[in-house]
Amino acid sequence: MEEYRKNQELELEISALGSSGEGIGRTREGFTVFVKDALPGDRVRARLMKVKKQYAFGRLMEIISPSPDRVEAPCPVARACGGCQLQALSYEKQLAYKENKVRQDLIRISGIENPPIEPIIGMASPWRYRNKAQFPVGRDREGRVVAGFYAGRTHSIIPQRDCLLGAEVNRRILDIVLGYMEQYGIAPYDEASGSGLVRHILIRCGFSTGEIMVCLVVNGDRLPEEGMLAERLREIPGMTAVLLNTNRERTNVILGHTVRTIWGKGYITDMIGGVSFQISPLSFYQVNPRQTEKLYGQALEYAGLTGQETVWDVYCGIGTISLFLARRARQVWGVEVVPQAIEDARRNAALNGIENVEFFVGKAEEVLPEQYEKSGLRADVVVVDPPRKGCDAAVLETILRVRPDRIVYISCDPATMARDVKVLGNGGYSVEKVRCVDMFGMTGHVETCVLLGRK
């Protein structure tokens, strides 16, 4: 095989997309090259940036002939930003890629020869769907205050005030905040020195209510003339909360623990499927509520509730799925390790007058067996919506001990989902239905809902 080296340029035919949306090309000798921003059907010239024994990572230098599925990316900084890995791929092909990614992981990892996948649920429009945006603030090379997004794998800010995935109002908010900073000489935070004041601008929008929250994350506990900032932001229709979050830590974590209200309420309200949720800066809440309603509707269909079932919602967060299911179940038990999330869940249950749901703080692998053995709580249906790393092995073990009739597994990572499905399969469950929901158009991410029944 030819010896490949860094900075060498190659012509490649791109034949597939990798797990993160990068193009995959192979040389005539079978050497694999991963090329960001390249698409299946492209013929490209790529420069090798990192070379391993069996594969390399390349930078796209030229598209010699474009894929028939390539479209013009509408965002001027799409490549530099890196947040939208698939913006140059037609939306129809994006959906096909995501569904196939789930199919291949179930075949390769779970060992299911012909996964029973139903057609993916796409968006009516894959733009302006995010109800949350976090803009880092810094300076450009000329010293001007800028906000935008970090370039891929860096903390270099790509200035952008109007991300096409976010709400249109974000641009007006950023114009006001950055104009205020320039007027009063307020310095952005500098990671290298730890100096400066404003670190991030967090914006949350209630799509169903029209309520808007702006929260400035600062390296301190107050802003100069903060009342003036609130007065300007209040002119925006729907503005409900202007808040300050203190984060003095030298860390990549965006939010600190302390939040103070400058004006308005300390939260906004939004709805998913007729259920209301109070959302603070620290609350976890799905960023695409319209598709979340479709995802939870799919989970509800798979759960097959008649009103007589007891349901356990594992990794319940602030109770979004629990409350969605509670209207069709006899009783729902939610388990979550984060105390603040459980406080939010209980508050949201009270807000909606939902009484047939109870929440437990603790590790699911400890709470589930304790309630099962000591209190005799059994489960007809178990719903799991774990983080990207998938379920803890002890959680899967406990679910298998409880032996529910049905398991509904909601996943944001097909590979870890397929791994866990294999464990559940070995424990006596079979995959009956699978459906993907596109929650994050223009990116490589996909949500999947899986129904498993007892063999």
Side-chain angles (χ1 to χ4, degrees):
M1 182 181 285
E2 181 183 339
E3 190 86 8
Y4 296 97
R5 63 191 183 279
K6 185 177 179 181
N7 292 325
Q8 181 180 356
E9 293 194 0
L10 301 172
E11 281 194 16
L12 298 164
E13 296 278 357
I14 304 300
S15 59
L17 288 176
S19 60
S20 300
E22 70 280 14
I24 301 175
R26 288 181 175 84
T27 65
R28 278 176 292 187
E29 293 82 12
F31 186 72
T32 301
V33 183
F34 298 95
V35 185
K36 178 182 171 291
D37 302 313
L39 300 175
D42 282 343
R43 182 166 184 80
V44 304
R45 183 167 58 87
R47 178 178 295 164
L48 303 186
M49 305 307 293
K50 185 183 289 187
V51 180
K52 303 287 186 179
K53 192 171 183 179
Q54 301 293 333
Y55 62 92
F57 296 96
R59 174 179 293 165
L60 178 62
M61 304 303 292
E62 179 188 0
I63 299 171
I64 298 168
S65 60
S67 164
D69 301 316
R70 181 174 281 278
V71 297
E72 188 69 33
C75 176
V77 296
R79 277 191 66 181
C81 169
C84 294
Q85 304 91 349
L86 303 179
Q87 201 175 118
L89 183 63
S90 72
Y91 187 57
E92 179 187 0
K93 292 297 180 180
Q94 288 182 35
L95 296 179
Y97 158 69
K98 294 179 184 189
E99 189 175 284
N100 187 58
K101 179 163 69 168
V102 172
R103 177 180 289 105
Q104 294 306 317
D105 280 344
L106 286 169
I107 294 170
R108 181 176 56 87
I109 300 171
S110 303
I112 301 171
E113 286 186 18
N114 188 23
I117 298 182
E118 301 182 290
I120 187 170
I121 300 174
M123 298 186 219
S125 172
W127 306 103
R128 303 291 186 191
Y129 61 80
R130 289 187 60 96
N131 60 10
K132 176 184 177 184
Q134 297 176 138
F135 295 92
V137 184
R139 292 191 189 277
D140 63 14
R141 291 178 180 176
E142 285 72 43
R144 291 173 298 211
V145 178
V146 295
F149 299 100
Y150 292 129
R153 297 190 178 93
T154 76
H155 270 214
S156 174
I157 296 175
I158 304 296
Q160 173 61 298
R161 299 190 189 189
D162 187 25
C163 172
L164 298 180
L165 302 190
E168 290 186 73
V169 74
N170 290 350
R171 180 179 189 120
R172 184 175 174 188
I173 291 169
L174 291 178
D175 287 346
I176 289 173
V177 174
L178 298 185
Y180 150 82
M181 289 178 66
E182 288 167 356
Q183 180 180 349
Y184 291 102
I186 299 168
Y189 180 70
D190 179 75
E191 286 186 348
S193 65
S195 62
L197 188 58
V198 179
R199 301 172 69 128
H200 278 79
I201 302 166
L202 166 65
I203 304 170
R204 305 188 86 150
C205 302
F207 280 9
S208 67
T209 61
E211 296 183 359
I212 303 168
M213 168 197 298
V214 177
C215 179
L216 270 66
V217 184
V218 298
N219 181 35
D221 54 16
R222 64 180 300 104
L223 287 165
E225 302 292 340
E226 57 188 33
M228 181 62 70
L229 173 63
E231 192 173 310
R232 293 175 186 175
L233 289 171
R234 285 168 58 186
E235 295 177 5
I236 298 175
M239 188 60 61
T240 304
V242 180
L243 309 168
L244 200 72
N245 176 269
T246 296
N247 184 0
R248 290 192 174 94
E249 302 294 322
R250 300 286 288 268
T251 175
N252 291 338
V253 177
I254 294 175
L255 290 166
H257 299 293
T258 306
V259 180
R260 178 170 62 83
T261 302
I262 297 175
W263 173 84
K265 300 186 292 187
Y267 59 88
I268 60 171
T269 305
D270 200 18
M271 300 179 75
I272 298 177
V275 180
S276 297
F277 297 93
Q278 285 186 1
I279 309 155
S280 74
L282 300 173
S283 296
F284 172 80
Y285 186 68
Q286 294 282 5
V287 300
N288 186 342
R290 296 188 181 109
Q291 288 297 95
T292 297
E293 185 169 346
K294 294 177 183 177
L295 176 67
Y296 290 177
Q298 192 63 61
L300 187 62
E301 179 187 316
Y302 282 1
L305 302 180
T306 65
Q308 302 304 310
E309 293 82 6
T310 297
V311 181
W312 282 6
D313 178 11
V314 185
Y315 305 102
C316 70
I318 65 167
T320 45
I321 301 177
S322 299
L323 301 180
F324 205 84
L325 297 172
R327 295 172 302 169
R328 300 276 189 90
R330 183 175 63 83
Q331 179 69 39
V332 176
W333 309 92
V335 184
E336 172 60 56
V337 73
V338 181
Q340 178 61 49
I342 290 296
E343 286 179 27
D344 286 344
R346 289 170 178 157
R347 187 181 305 112
N348 289 324
L351 179 67
N352 290 278
I354 297 175
E355 298 180 349
N356 61 328
V357 61
E358 188 170 340
F359 296 101
F360 298 92
V361 178
K363 294 181 178 179
E365 60 268 27
E366 295 172 0
V367 172
L368 265 65
E370 179 183 347
Q371 295 301 319
Y372 176 64
E373 291 163 9
K374 291 185 180 178
S375 308
L377 294 181
R378 71 176 302 277
D380 300 296
V381 179
V382 170
V383 176
V384 290
D385 185 7
R388 192 164 294 279
K389 66 180 182 179
C391 288
D392 188 286
V395 170
L396 295 175
E397 191 178 301
T398 303
I399 292 171
L400 292 174
R401 283 172 57 199
V402 172
R403 301 288 292 165
D405 297 329
R406 294 176 296 284
I407 301 168
V408 179
Y409 191 121
I410 298 172
S411 166
C412 59
D413 187 295
T416 57
M417 174 272 292
R419 178 202 67 200
D420 292 349
V421 161
K422 183 175 183 179
V423 174
L424 295 170
N426 291 337
Y429 286 82
S430 59
V431 173
E432 297 181 357
K433 294 180 182 179
V434 180
R435 195 159 202 185
C436 304
V437 179
D438 186 29
M439 300 266 284
F440 310 104
M442 305 298 136
T443 81
H445 301 297
V446 63
E447 293 275 332
T448 309
C449 190
V450 182
L451 171 62
L452 299 104
R454 274 207 308 239
K455 293 178 183 176

